[in-house]
mmCIF file of all heavy atoms in Angstrom:
data_model
loop_
_atom_site.group_PDB
_atom_site.id
_atom_site.type_symbol
_atom_site.label_atom_id
_atom_site.label_comp_id
_atom_site.label_asym_id
_atom_site.label_seq_id
_atom_site.Cartn_x
_atom_site.Cartn_y
_atom_site.Cartn_z
ATOM 1 N N HIS A 576 1.980 1.254 17.101
ATOM 2 C CA HIS A 576 1.712 2.610 17.583
ATOM 3 C C HIS A 576 2.334 2.778 18.957
ATOM 4 O O HIS A 576 2.801 1.822 19.568
ATOM 5 C CB HIS A 576 0.205 2.889 17.641
ATOM 6 C CG HIS A 576 -0.557 1.895 18.447
ATOM 7 N ND1 HIS A 576 -0.694 1.958 19.801
ATOM 8 C CD2 HIS A 576 -1.203 0.769 18.076
ATOM 9 C CE1 HIS A 576 -1.405 0.933 20.230
ATOM 10 N NE2 HIS A 576 -1.714 0.186 19.202
ATOM 11 N N CYS A 577 2.381 4.026 19.436
ATOM 12 C CA CYS A 577 3.019 4.376 20.720
ATOM 13 C C CYS A 577 4.477 3.927 20.745
ATOM 14 O O CYS A 577 4.975 3.436 21.769
ATOM 15 C CB CYS A 577 2.265 3.773 21.904
ATOM 16 S SG CYS A 577 0.611 4.409 22.104
ATOM 17 N N LEU A 578 5.168 4.096 19.638
ATOM 18 C CA LEU A 578 6.541 3.608 19.561
ATOM 19 C C LEU A 578 7.500 4.457 20.383
ATOM 20 O O LEU A 578 8.561 3.970 20.778
ATOM 21 C CB LEU A 578 6.991 3.546 18.103
ATOM 22 C CG LEU A 578 6.241 2.522 17.255
ATOM 23 C CD1 LEU A 578 6.664 2.631 15.812
ATOM 24 C CD2 LEU A 578 6.447 1.122 17.770
ATOM 25 N N SER A 579 7.123 5.694 20.663
ATOM 26 C CA SER A 579 8.022 6.537 21.457
ATOM 27 C C SER A 579 8.100 6.064 22.902
ATOM 28 O O SER A 579 9.072 6.347 23.596
ATOM 29 C CB SER A 579 7.534 7.984 21.420
ATOM 30 O OG SER A 579 6.230 8.075 21.939
ATOM 31 N N ALA A 580 7.092 5.315 23.352
ATOM 32 C CA ALA A 580 7.079 4.830 24.729
ATOM 33 C C ALA A 580 7.758 3.475 24.882
ATOM 34 O O ALA A 580 7.947 3.013 26.000
ATOM 35 C CB ALA A 580 5.644 4.723 25.227
ATOM 36 N N LYS A 581 8.120 2.839 23.781
ATOM 37 C CA LYS A 581 8.705 1.497 23.840
ATOM 38 C C LYS A 581 10.217 1.571 23.764
ATOM 39 O O LYS A 581 10.771 2.430 23.078
ATOM 40 C CB LYS A 581 8.146 0.639 22.708
ATOM 41 C CG LYS A 581 6.669 0.383 22.911
ATOM 42 C CD LYS A 581 6.047 -0.389 21.798
ATOM 43 C CE LYS A 581 4.567 -0.564 22.099
ATOM 44 N NZ LYS A 581 3.760 -0.711 20.931
ATOM 45 N N PRO A 582 10.910 0.661 24.446
ATOM 46 C CA PRO A 582 12.370 0.681 24.440
ATOM 47 C C PRO A 582 12.938 0.405 23.040
ATOM 48 O O PRO A 582 12.308 -0.264 22.213
ATOM 49 C CB PRO A 582 12.769 -0.432 25.399
ATOM 50 C CG PRO A 582 11.551 -0.814 26.124
ATOM 51 C CD PRO A 582 10.383 -0.366 25.334
ATOM 52 N N LYS A 583 14.135 0.905 22.838
ATOM 53 C CA LYS A 583 14.803 0.751 21.551
ATOM 54 C C LYS A 583 15.009 -0.722 21.211
ATOM 55 O O LYS A 583 14.835 -1.144 20.069
ATOM 56 C CB LYS A 583 16.150 1.470 21.644
ATOM 57 C CG LYS A 583 16.938 1.523 20.361
ATOM 58 C CD LYS A 583 18.204 2.360 20.437
ATOM 59 C CE LYS A 583 18.709 2.649 21.816
ATOM 60 N NZ LYS A 583 20.008 3.335 21.816
ATOM 61 N N ASP A 584 15.385 -1.528 22.219
ATOM 62 C CA ASP A 584 15.632 -2.951 21.972
ATOM 63 C C ASP A 584 14.357 -3.667 21.515
ATOM 64 O O ASP A 584 14.397 -4.530 20.648
ATOM 65 C CB ASP A 584 16.162 -3.635 23.231
ATOM 66 C CG ASP A 584 17.545 -3.149 23.602
ATOM 67 O OD1 ASP A 584 18.197 -2.526 22.736
ATOM 68 O OD2 ASP A 584 17.973 -3.373 24.745
ATOM 69 N N MET A 585 13.234 -3.310 22.110
ATOM 70 C CA MET A 585 11.965 -3.938 21.731
ATOM 71 C C MET A 585 11.626 -3.624 20.289
ATOM 72 O O MET A 585 11.217 -4.502 19.521
ATOM 73 C CB MET A 585 10.842 -3.473 22.654
ATOM 74 C CG MET A 585 9.485 -4.047 22.314
ATOM 75 S SD MET A 585 8.126 -3.296 23.226
ATOM 76 C CE MET A 585 8.210 -4.204 24.737
ATOM 77 N N LYS A 586 11.817 -2.377 19.898
ATOM 78 C CA LYS A 586 11.498 -1.982 18.523
ATOM 79 C C LYS A 586 12.439 -2.656 17.525
ATOM 80 O O LYS A 586 12.015 -3.055 16.442
ATOM 81 C CB LYS A 586 11.585 -0.464 18.381
ATOM 82 C CG LYS A 586 10.489 0.259 19.138
ATOM 83 C CD LYS A 586 10.527 1.743 18.910
ATOM 84 C CE LYS A 586 11.555 2.404 19.788
ATOM 85 N NZ LYS A 586 11.443 3.871 19.796
ATOM 86 N N ARG A 587 13.677 -2.804 17.895
ATOM 87 C CA ARG A 587 14.649 -3.429 17.002
ATOM 88 C C ARG A 587 14.341 -4.920 16.829
ATOM 89 O O ARG A 587 14.418 -5.455 15.736
ATOM 90 C CB ARG A 587 16.059 -3.219 17.534
ATOM 91 C CG ARG A 587 17.131 -3.578 16.537
ATOM 92 C CD ARG A 587 18.488 -3.030 16.911
ATOM 93 N NE ARG A 587 18.864 -3.407 18.252
ATOM 94 C CZ ARG A 587 19.102 -2.562 19.257
ATOM 95 N NH1 ARG A 587 18.980 -1.258 19.064
ATOM 96 N NH2 ARG A 587 19.460 -2.985 20.444
ATOM 97 N N GLN A 588 13.968 -5.596 17.916
ATOM 98 C CA GLN A 588 13.666 -7.021 17.829
ATOM 99 C C GLN A 588 12.337 -7.284 17.124
ATOM 100 O O GLN A 588 12.102 -8.395 16.648
ATOM 101 C CB GLN A 588 13.653 -7.641 19.222
ATOM 102 C CG GLN A 588 15.046 -7.769 19.800
ATOM 103 C CD GLN A 588 15.046 -8.285 21.227
ATOM 104 O OE1 GLN A 588 13.993 -8.467 21.826
ATOM 105 N NE2 GLN A 588 16.230 -8.498 21.758
ATOM 106 N N ALA A 589 11.484 -6.270 17.051
ATOM 107 C CA ALA A 589 10.185 -6.441 16.399
ATOM 108 C C ALA A 589 10.262 -6.237 14.892
ATOM 109 O O ALA A 589 9.247 -6.326 14.215
ATOM 110 C CB ALA A 589 9.176 -5.467 17.000
ATOM 111 N N ARG A 590 11.435 -5.967 14.343
ATOM 112 C CA ARG A 590 11.565 -5.809 12.898
ATOM 113 C C ARG A 590 11.445 -7.161 12.205
ATOM 114 O O ARG A 590 11.843 -8.186 12.741
ATOM 115 C CB ARG A 590 12.937 -5.230 12.550
ATOM 116 C CG ARG A 590 13.078 -3.776 12.801
ATOM 117 C CD ARG A 590 14.440 -3.291 12.329
ATOM 118 N NE ARG A 590 14.771 -2.049 12.986
ATOM 119 C CZ ARG A 590 16.001 -1.689 13.304
ATOM 120 N NH1 ARG A 590 17.022 -2.465 13.030
ATOM 121 N NH2 ARG A 590 16.218 -0.548 13.910
ATOM 122 N N GLY A 591 10.952 -7.142 10.992
ATOM 123 C CA GLY A 591 10.946 -8.339 10.172
ATOM 124 C C GLY A 591 9.976 -9.402 10.650
ATOM 125 O O GLY A 591 8.944 -9.115 11.244
ATOM 126 N N THR A 592 10.334 -10.656 10.401
ATOM 127 C CA THR A 592 9.459 -11.782 10.719
ATOM 128 C C THR A 592 10.181 -12.750 11.637
ATOM 129 O O THR A 592 11.382 -12.636 11.857
ATOM 130 C CB THR A 592 9.043 -12.527 9.442
ATOM 131 O OG1 THR A 592 10.216 -12.961 8.772
ATOM 132 C CG2 THR A 592 8.229 -11.650 8.530
ATOM 133 N N PHE A 593 9.440 -13.715 12.151
ATOM 134 C CA PHE A 593 10.032 -14.766 12.967
ATOM 135 C C PHE A 593 9.296 -16.065 12.665
ATOM 136 O O PHE A 593 8.200 -16.067 12.109
ATOM 137 C CB PHE A 593 9.946 -14.418 14.456
ATOM 138 C CG PHE A 593 8.557 -14.461 15.024
ATOM 139 C CD1 PHE A 593 8.134 -15.536 15.776
ATOM 140 C CD2 PHE A 593 7.676 -13.432 14.802
ATOM 141 C CE1 PHE A 593 6.851 -15.580 16.292
ATOM 142 C CE2 PHE A 593 6.389 -13.461 15.315
ATOM 143 C CZ PHE A 593 5.982 -14.551 16.064
ATOM 144 N N VAL A 594 9.916 -17.184 13.030
ATOM 145 C CA VAL A 594 9.325 -18.498 12.800
ATOM 146 C C VAL A 594 8.566 -18.915 14.053
ATOM 147 O O VAL A 594 9.096 -18.833 15.161
ATOM 148 C CB VAL A 594 10.416 -19.529 12.448
ATOM 149 C CG1 VAL A 594 9.815 -20.911 12.292
ATOM 150 C CG2 VAL A 594 11.132 -19.119 11.174
ATOM 151 N N LEU A 595 7.321 -19.349 13.879
ATOM 152 C CA LEU A 595 6.511 -19.800 15.002
ATOM 153 C C LEU A 595 7.091 -21.079 15.598
ATOM 154 O O LEU A 595 7.759 -21.842 14.903
ATOM 155 C CB LEU A 595 5.084 -20.091 14.544
ATOM 156 C CG LEU A 595 4.033 -19.011 14.693
ATOM 157 C CD1 LEU A 595 4.440 -17.753 13.985
ATOM 158 C CD2 LEU A 595 2.703 -19.487 14.204
ATOM 159 N N PHE A 596 6.796 -21.308 16.874
ATOM 160 C CA PHE A 596 7.157 -22.573 17.499
ATOM 161 C C PHE A 596 6.450 -23.708 16.764
ATOM 162 O O PHE A 596 5.401 -23.512 16.150
ATOM 163 C CB PHE A 596 6.768 -22.587 18.973
ATOM 164 C CG PHE A 596 7.656 -21.742 19.831
ATOM 165 C CD1 PHE A 596 7.180 -20.588 20.408
ATOM 166 C CD2 PHE A 596 8.969 -22.104 20.063
ATOM 167 C CE1 PHE A 596 7.986 -19.808 21.201
ATOM 168 C CE2 PHE A 596 9.793 -21.331 20.849
ATOM 169 C CZ PHE A 596 9.303 -20.174 21.424
ATOM 170 N N LYS A 597 7.015 -24.901 16.847
ATOM 171 C CA LYS A 597 6.516 -26.034 16.067
ATOM 172 C C LYS A 597 5.036 -26.316 16.339
ATOM 173 O O LYS A 597 4.246 -26.490 15.413
ATOM 174 C CB LYS A 597 7.349 -27.271 16.372
ATOM 175 C CG LYS A 597 7.008 -28.445 15.506
ATOM 176 C CD LYS A 597 7.906 -29.626 15.753
ATOM 177 C CE LYS A 597 7.507 -30.761 14.840
ATOM 178 N NZ LYS A 597 8.261 -31.965 15.117
ATOM 179 N N ALA A 598 4.641 -26.360 17.611
ATOM 180 C CA ALA A 598 3.249 -26.682 17.955
ATOM 181 C C ALA A 598 2.292 -25.622 17.422
ATOM 182 O O ALA A 598 1.225 -25.949 16.882
ATOM 183 C CB ALA A 598 3.105 -26.809 19.463
ATOM 184 N N ASP A 599 2.664 -24.350 17.556
ATOM 185 C CA ASP A 599 1.812 -23.275 17.054
ATOM 186 C C ASP A 599 1.714 -23.322 15.533
ATOM 187 O O ASP A 599 0.644 -23.118 14.950
ATOM 188 C CB ASP A 599 2.344 -21.918 17.497
ATOM 189 C CG ASP A 599 2.308 -21.743 19.003
ATOM 190 O OD1 ASP A 599 1.453 -22.384 19.648
ATOM 191 O OD2 ASP A 599 3.118 -20.970 19.531
ATOM 192 N N GLY A 600 2.839 -23.582 14.882
ATOM 193 C CA GLY A 600 2.853 -23.647 13.425
ATOM 194 C C GLY A 600 1.987 -24.763 12.888
ATOM 195 O O GLY A 600 1.302 -24.610 11.875
ATOM 196 N N GLU A 601 1.994 -25.899 13.571
ATOM 197 C CA GLU A 601 1.170 -27.012 13.105
ATOM 198 C C GLU A 601 -0.315 -26.714 13.269
ATOM 199 O O GLU A 601 -1.124 -27.105 12.430
ATOM 200 C CB GLU A 601 1.566 -28.291 13.841
ATOM 201 C CG GLU A 601 2.931 -28.770 13.386
ATOM 202 C CD GLU A 601 3.370 -30.060 14.038
ATOM 203 O OE1 GLU A 601 2.586 -30.656 14.802
ATOM 204 O OE2 GLU A 601 4.505 -30.466 13.765
#
Side-chain angles (χ1 to χ4, degrees):
H576 55 84
C577 296
L578 294 175
S579 60
K581 293 177 181 153
K583 185 174 18 174
D584 293 344
M585 179 189 277
K586 291 184 279 191
R587 192 164 53 241
Q588 287 176 355
R590 283 184 201 147
T592 58
F593 70 102
V594 177
L595 265 57
F596 286 111
K597 186 176 180 185
D599 296 333
E601 289 182 4

